């Protein structure tokens, strides 16, 4: 159906080709998954299928791509619209019309279909994707999952035999992602559509794939059976990593298969306890990373009672068993090495149980809608709190309220001892820093260097502080790069550096992992752990259950503006059908959350030998 | 403010340099909707008619057919929308691919946002700044269409479609059209040139739109209304009186505001627009 | 008969073009008279129809805005008349403003002087006529859904129509973006005001939207935009010259109309022939495209009735004005209470027809009951 015949792509002005001699055949009716890290050419590969590369983006393509017998060199994207449906990365960006129905019909008008056929196809597509009850709604009022399904429908309505999707579930909450994937599954199975998709969140899609194309980053591509590719691929979902650890063969790709294989593993683990990472720890905190000493007179910390009772002053906030996990240890040493040069002193007591943010009976209202009601939450130093919940449940509002960006309709907020609403922004950024959902919002200079200088000036710190921070977060960004040309992960690092330069004790991150691949996510996890270890409190609103499992000490679930769960991560997510990470699902009813926990336990001296 | 201008210029030039490195340095020629000979003729003819539609009160003959009834302004109000549709169709033919349409739509939306946010109170109309820079960066043909679409969009969104709309559309598209035809200066000189042009265009726009309102607002027989058959200079002087009495303050404010915006933010926005044009790879035709 | 009743009773959005034609009919009628009673009658009829048939969209409120604008125009007109008419007609002097003569470079304009009742009334009547025309146009703005009007743009303007739709979909989102970025500035510890605020927010909004425009273009191209635009070469070859010749014709006609020395036929004939040529070129330019339309707005009986009502109003006023019915043009010297011409008054009442002859608007046009 799709034949890549020794395809190489080189963009104008680039030193090396993005793709080199790609030789892949995708058969009819397959669901083919393209995996690889950011920047390995996934999007480029997808865009060659309907000719967007090179007709739209420029660059040189050698070799040829045959799509249903048509050569993309001679056919422009619009000429291939009846064969290839293309759904881009951001479903919001591709919207032409205002109403769902018109959006679906837009493409058909250009194919010259007669009105009765158009009418019928719109109805069929609405049913196929479960959009019938929103047909007259404005697309801006739809949820993320609905919007993504509209985008798929708009591509599908021309009855293309191939559907190409670039990260269709990255921005969605778990439930919406399920809806979208179910729709795709149906297309492949009922209509025989060939689907080619790229996705970072392998844990969501890998079990549906018939075929995987792996882009290792050298420009070449390796295609093969999912299980075979997953044996060695550096990007892998937790289920695969667990399978590799336990040596299961064939490698299971779905939770269901893994559960069947996991009985012996569960047996071995039954006597063991997960070694959770203690997040309040140790000396050697570097100056750059340390929260600003809280010495100003009016900023008296509020010692409120926390949910799980007052912690003894000398003990860490959470009981720590055993050793630090492998990953956290590695992270610390790497960053510590980077930081050692700058270490000047490591004195001072660690603010172990200090409440950095205290929210009580908060309500937030936008016009008629109540976004939050009666929410109480305390965040203490050293905690990593994950705020979870559906899109639109009020997660962002909660974060925004903590830094005084929304006016509470009722309730009290004390962040770092001050009311963020009644204080100057310049004061607030010293007690709490928020990285918004789209980190690019924070960036407006023409170059990374200028951005850092502005941040130094905003925060009133010596010039070069932000630049030094950024170098530690993402060493490969040069001063001259335009912030908009950075990758998602680099952009996030820059925004984080801009926020952290004011050294706020409380750091809030809104959806930090959108568009990040596993490696970038891993780097983010290291940074966040490091922050927490050095006495910051980190609050992240996220859909990413795997990241939460690996990172969070505490999970707060928001639904319909109310706080419905608040407790240690394992207590909240294990057993939840939506929020449980894959490892927890595989090893339920035991409360393991991540592969590294399992691995550490298996290697601990108390582990029974199999 | 001057400090700020200096700084933004410095960073811009760094960026430009980089852009030339990887974008092939096609700064100057990238034009979004090129004006072919036929569409250029159509634009010229409609512009001539447009000038007449604005300025006829200044030189109409006393015994001319139009002078005898009070219907002249209505005739032009009915004729101009038709002419605009015709010239838009001529411009669109063959030049409006997906990139131009998307860029037009998005920039019109930006302009509409600026109009809605600016509100027009006290001459704060940042949209003129956009017309000047977009015409400059993306070419006269694109600018001509952008000017019209922006005003049409904001009128449709706010429900403010009136007989004045075609005249505003035409005047706005002239601003962007001529901005695209200015001499090819670069760097600081370009910003000063655009600032001066922005001031001029803000003023001229006000004068033109007022000229349209003139026959409606100033009743025949007053000392500031036009007299068919009088010499041009007399009518012009009376018009000046009308402008002084009504809106000169606003027009001056608008001119000053546009100039200040051009000086403060001109180079950054120009860079952004050129960057977009480069990335869209508009063909050189 | 049943289907006719259904046409009239079942809620649906009337074709936007029908509302505009109706309103233009009313505006034409208003331009034919200065009789305040007739003008107020027209405004009232328009207001009644708006009240009966407008939807719940934001632009439905624009009728009131246009009424206010009309009042403003009225005020300016009267004000200018009082200030700048140095020797008004009429003998009933209301009051006297201090007089001032501007220097010679300002053409010796005189400001102030006596203000007479008659002259003021004349300005008032004239201003009221403008206000009535504005009210009719405001009614069209309130009743017609601009987005639906864009769905019926002629073929030659399809791309322009798409650009407009994109702009209208994007604009609200940009305002949202601006708010978001403004808040993001707070996150960097700043409070901005004035010009700096505009440039600091404007730049990221602009860059973000320029970036999105590329994605949008890619999405549009992938969905076939521009594919069927190939128009039969015969149409294309003939459309351009027709349009250009037509425009030249219009230029000649315009010269004839503005210049007293030209034979009286040149103006109207040049204009007429030019218009016919240009419009036919315009129509030809859109013919022959393979593109089709999804669910075009229907034009059925209610549309005809609404347009017909507007035509009747315009026709009755034009006939009354041409016949010179007493009361169409109100005299101010001597100042008399104007009579009411029957034909025009009856015509004005016909403007009310759409309040019953058009289907009621659908409630919540863009939202399904959930």
């Amino acid at each position: 159906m799709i034949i890549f015949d020794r395809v190489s792509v080189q963009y104008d002005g680039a030193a090396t080709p993005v793709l080199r001699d790609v030789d892949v055949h995708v058969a009819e009716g397959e669901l083919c998954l393209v995996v690889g890290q950011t920047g390995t050419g996934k999007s480029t590969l997808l865009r060659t299928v309907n000719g967007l590369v090179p007709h739209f983006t420029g660059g040189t393509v050698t070799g040829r791509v045959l799509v249903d017998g048509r050569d993309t060199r001679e056919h422009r994207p619009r000429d291939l619209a009846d064969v290839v449906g293309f759904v881009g990365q951001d479903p919001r960006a591709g919207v032409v019309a205002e109403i769902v129905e018109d959006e679906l019909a837009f493409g058909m008008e250009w194919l010259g279909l007669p009105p009765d056929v158009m009418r019928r196809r719109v109805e069929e597509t609405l049913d196929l994707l479960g959009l019938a009850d929103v047909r007259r709604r404005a697309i801006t009022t739809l949820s993320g999952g609905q919007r993504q399904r509209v985008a798929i429908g708009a591509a599908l309505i021309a009855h293309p035999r191939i559907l190409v999707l670039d990260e269709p579930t990255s921005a969605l909450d778990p439930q919406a992602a399920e809806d979208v994937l179910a729709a795709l599954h149906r297309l492949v199975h009922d209509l025989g559509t060939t689907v080619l998709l790229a996705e970072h969140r392998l844990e969501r899609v890998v079990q549906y794939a018939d075929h995987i194309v792996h882009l290792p980053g050298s420009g070449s591509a390796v295609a093969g059976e999912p299980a075979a590719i997953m044996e060695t691929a550096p990007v892998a979902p937790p289920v695969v990593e667990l399978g590799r650890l336990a040596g299961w063969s064939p490698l299971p790709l779905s939770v269901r298969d893994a559960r069947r294989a996991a009985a012996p593993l569960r047996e071995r683990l039954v006597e063991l306890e997960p070694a959770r990472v203690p997040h309040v720890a140790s000396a050697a905190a570097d100056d750059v990373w340390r929260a600003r000493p809280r010495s100003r007179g009016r900023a008296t910390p509020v010692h409120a009672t926390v949910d799980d009772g007052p912690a003894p002053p000398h003990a860490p906030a959470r009981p720590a068993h055993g050793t630090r996990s492998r990953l956290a240890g590695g992270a610390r040493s790497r960053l510590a090495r980077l930081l050692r040069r700058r270490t000047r002193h490591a004195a001072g007591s660690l603010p172990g149980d200090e409440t950095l943010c205290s929210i009580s009976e908060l309500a937030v209202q936008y016009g008629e809608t109540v976004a939050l009601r009666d929410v109480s939450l305390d965040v203490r130093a050293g905690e990593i709190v994950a705020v979870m919940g559906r899109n639109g449940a009020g997660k962002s509002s909660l974060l925004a309220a903590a830094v005084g960006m929304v006016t509470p309709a009722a309730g009290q907020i004390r962040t770092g001892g001050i009311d963020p609403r009644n204080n100057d922004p310049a004061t607030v950024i010293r007690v709490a820093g928020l990285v918004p959902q789209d980190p690019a919002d924070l960036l407006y200079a023409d170059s990374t260097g200028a951005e850092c200088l502005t941040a130094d000036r905003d925060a009133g710190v010596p010039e070069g502080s932000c630049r030094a921070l950024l170098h530690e977060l993402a060493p490969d960004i040069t001063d001259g790069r335009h912030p908009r040309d950075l990758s998602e992960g680099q952009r996030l690092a820059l925004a984080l550096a801009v926020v952290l330069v004011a050294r706020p004790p409380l750091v809030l991150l809104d959806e930090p992992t959108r568009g990040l691949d596993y490696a970038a996510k891993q780097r983010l996890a290291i940074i966040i752990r490091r922050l927490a270890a050095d006495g910051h409190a980190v609050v992240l609103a996220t859909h990413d259950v795997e990241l939460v499992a690996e990172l969070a000490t505490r999970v707060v679930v928001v639904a319909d503006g109310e706080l419905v769960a608040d407790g240690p991560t394992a207590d909240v997510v294990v057993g939840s059908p939506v929020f449980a990470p894959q490892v927890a699902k595989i090893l339920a009813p035991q409360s393991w959350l991540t592969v590294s926990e399992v691995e550490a336990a298996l290697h601990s001296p108390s582990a029974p030998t199999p | 403010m001057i400090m700020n201008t200096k700084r933004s210029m410095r960073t811009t030039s760094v960026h430009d340099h980089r852009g030339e490195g990887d974008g092939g340095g096609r700064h100057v020629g990238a034009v979004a909707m090129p004006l072919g000979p036929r569409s250029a003729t159509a634009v010229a003819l409609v512009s001539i008619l447009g000038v007449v539609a604005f300025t006829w009160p200044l030189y109409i003959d006393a015994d001319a057919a139009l002078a005898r009834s009070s219907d002249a302004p209505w005739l032009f109000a009915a004729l101009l929308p038709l002419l605009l549709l015709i010239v838009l169709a001529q411009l669109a033919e063959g030049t409006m691919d997906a990139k131009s349409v998307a860029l037009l739509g998005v920039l019109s939306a930006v302009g509409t946002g600026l109009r809605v946010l600016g509100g027009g109170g006290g001459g704060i109309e940042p949209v003129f700044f956009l017309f000047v820079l977009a015409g400059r960066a993306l070419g006269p043909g694109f600018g001509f269409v952008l000017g019209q679409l922006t005003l049409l969009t904001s009128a449709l969104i706010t429900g403010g479609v009136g007989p004045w709309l075609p005249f505003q559309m035409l005047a706005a598209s002239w601003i962007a059209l001529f901005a695209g035809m200015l001499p090819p200066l670069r760097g600081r000189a370009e910003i000063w040139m655009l600032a001066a042009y922005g001031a001029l265009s803000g003023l001229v726009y006000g004068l033109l739109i007022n000229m349209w309102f003139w026959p409606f607002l100033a009743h025949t027989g007053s000392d500031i209304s036009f007299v068919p058959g009088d010499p041009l200079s007399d009518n012009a002087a009376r018009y000046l009186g009308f402008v002084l009495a009504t809106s000169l303050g606003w027009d001056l404010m608008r001119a000053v505001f546009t100039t200040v915006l051009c000086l403060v933010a001109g180079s950054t926005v120009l860079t952004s627009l050129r960057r977009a044009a480069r990335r869209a790879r508009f063909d050189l035709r | 008969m049943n289907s006719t009743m259904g046409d009239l009773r079942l809620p649906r959005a009337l074709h936007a073009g029908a509302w505009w034609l109706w309103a233009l009919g009313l505006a034409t009628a208003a331009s034919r008279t200065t009789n305040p009673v007739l003008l107020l009658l027209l405004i009232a009829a328009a207001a009644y129809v708006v009240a009966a048939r407008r939807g719940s969209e934001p632009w439905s409120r624009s009728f009131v805005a246009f009424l206010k604008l009309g009042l403003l125009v009225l005020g300016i007109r009267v004000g200018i008349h009082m200030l700048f008419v140095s020797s008004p007609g009429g003998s009933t002097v209301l009051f006297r403003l201090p007089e001032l003569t501007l220097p010679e470079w300002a053409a010796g304009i005189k400001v102030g002087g006596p203000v007479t009742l008659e002259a003021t009334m004349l300005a008032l009547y004239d201003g009221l006529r403008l206000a009535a025309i504005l009210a009719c146009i405001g009614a069209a703005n309130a009743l017609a859904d601009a987005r639906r009007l864009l769905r019926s743009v002629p073929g030659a303007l399809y791309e322009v129509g798409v650009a407009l739709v994109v702009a209208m979909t994007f604009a609200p989102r940009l305002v949202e973006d601006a708010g978001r970025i403004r808040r993001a500035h707070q996150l960097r510890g700043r409070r901005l005001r004035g010009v700096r605020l505009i440039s600091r927010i404007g730049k990221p909004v602009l860059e973000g939207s320029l970036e999105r425009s590329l994605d949008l273009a890619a999405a549009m191209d992938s969905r076939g935009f521009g594919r069927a635009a190939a128009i039969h070469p015969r149409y294309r070859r003939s459309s351009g010259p027709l349009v250009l010749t037509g425009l030249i014709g219009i230029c000649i006609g315009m010269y004839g109309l503005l210049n007293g020395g030209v034979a009286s036929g040149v103006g109207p004939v040049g204009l007429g022939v030019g218009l016919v040529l240009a419009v036919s070129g315009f129509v030809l330019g859109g013919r022959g495209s393979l593109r089709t339309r999804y669910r075009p707005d229907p034009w059925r009986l209610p549309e005809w009735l609404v347009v017909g009502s507007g035509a009747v109003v315009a026709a009755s006023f034009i006939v009354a004005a041409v016949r010179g019915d007493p009361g169409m043009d109100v005299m101010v010297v001597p100042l008399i209470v104007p009579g009411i011409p029957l034909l025009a008054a009856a015509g004005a009442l016909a403007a009310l027809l759409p309040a019953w002859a058009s289907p009621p608007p659908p409630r919540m046009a863009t939202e399904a009951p959930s």
Side-chain angles (χ1 to χ4, degrees), chain B residues 176-238:
Chain B
L177 175 79
F178 291 122
M181 294 180 173
L182 293 174
L185 298 176
R186 277 290 174 274
R188 248 212 141 104
E190 181 178 30
I191 298 303
W192 282 105
M193 173 180 74
L194 290 180
Y197 176 78
L200 184 75
S201 63
L203 211 56
V204 170
Y205 179 86
L207 288 179
L208 281 176
I209 296 300
N210 264 315
M211 185 92 76
W212 182 77
F213 279 109
W214 193 24
F216 291 106
L217 290 180
H219 192 265
T220 326
S222 81
D223 273 10
I224 55 167
S225 59
F226 72 97
V227 179
D230 265 23
L232 184 69
S233 55
D234 287 10
N235 270 326
R238 278 192 284 267

Side-chain angles (χ1 to χ4, degrees), chain A residues 101 103 136 441 444 458, chain C residues 158 180 190 223 295 366:
Chain A
E101 233 183 302
E103 176 70 12
R136 280 183 212 290
D441 286 353
Y444 33 72
D458 285 343
Chain C
Y158 183 90
R180 218 181 57 230
R190 302 177 172 172
R223 285 159 69 182
R295 288 183 91 175
T366 54

Side-chain angles (χ1 to χ4, degrees), chain B residues 61 71 161 216 219 223 272, chain C residues 32 77 84 137 141 207 260:
Chain B
D61 276 355
D71 291 339
V161 180
F216 291 106
H219 192 265
D223 273 10
S272 304
Chain C
R32 296 296 99 189
R77 180 122 199 188
F84 292 102
I137 290 163
N141 273 300
E207 288 198 334

Side-chain angles (χ1 to χ4, degrees), chain A residues 295-330:
Chain A
S295 53
R296 267 170 300 147
R298 56 184 169 150
T300 29
V302 183
H303 283 278
T305 323
V306 287
D307 303 51
D308 45 355
H314 57 275
R318 282 182 53 100
H321 300 278
T323 54
R324 182 187 307 283
S325 83
R326 179 180 58 106
L327 190 108

Side-chain angles (χ1 to χ4, degrees), chain B residues 128 131-132 135 143 170-180 197-198 201-202 204-205:
Chain B
F128 286 86
F131 291 153
V132 172
L170 187 61
S173 51
W174 279 336
I175 293 180
L177 175 79
F178 291 122
Y197 176 78
S201 63
V204 170
Y205 179 86

Side-chain angles (χ1 to χ4, degrees), chain A residues 502-546:
Chain A
R503 293 191 217 165
L506 177 67
V507 180
L508 306 122
L509 303 162
D510 198 351
E511 287 291 340
T513 59
R514 256 201 339 188
L516 297 193
D517 59 17
Y518 283 102
K521 244 192 301 202
Q522 215 56 263
R523 278 196 296 277
L524 179 72
I526 291 167
I527 293 167
I528 290 177
R529 278 220 186 83
R530 176 76 207 217
L531 285 171
D534 289 330
H536 292 267
V538 181
V539 179
L540 39 135
T542 183
H543 294 312
D544 194 328
V545 292
E546 303 299 338

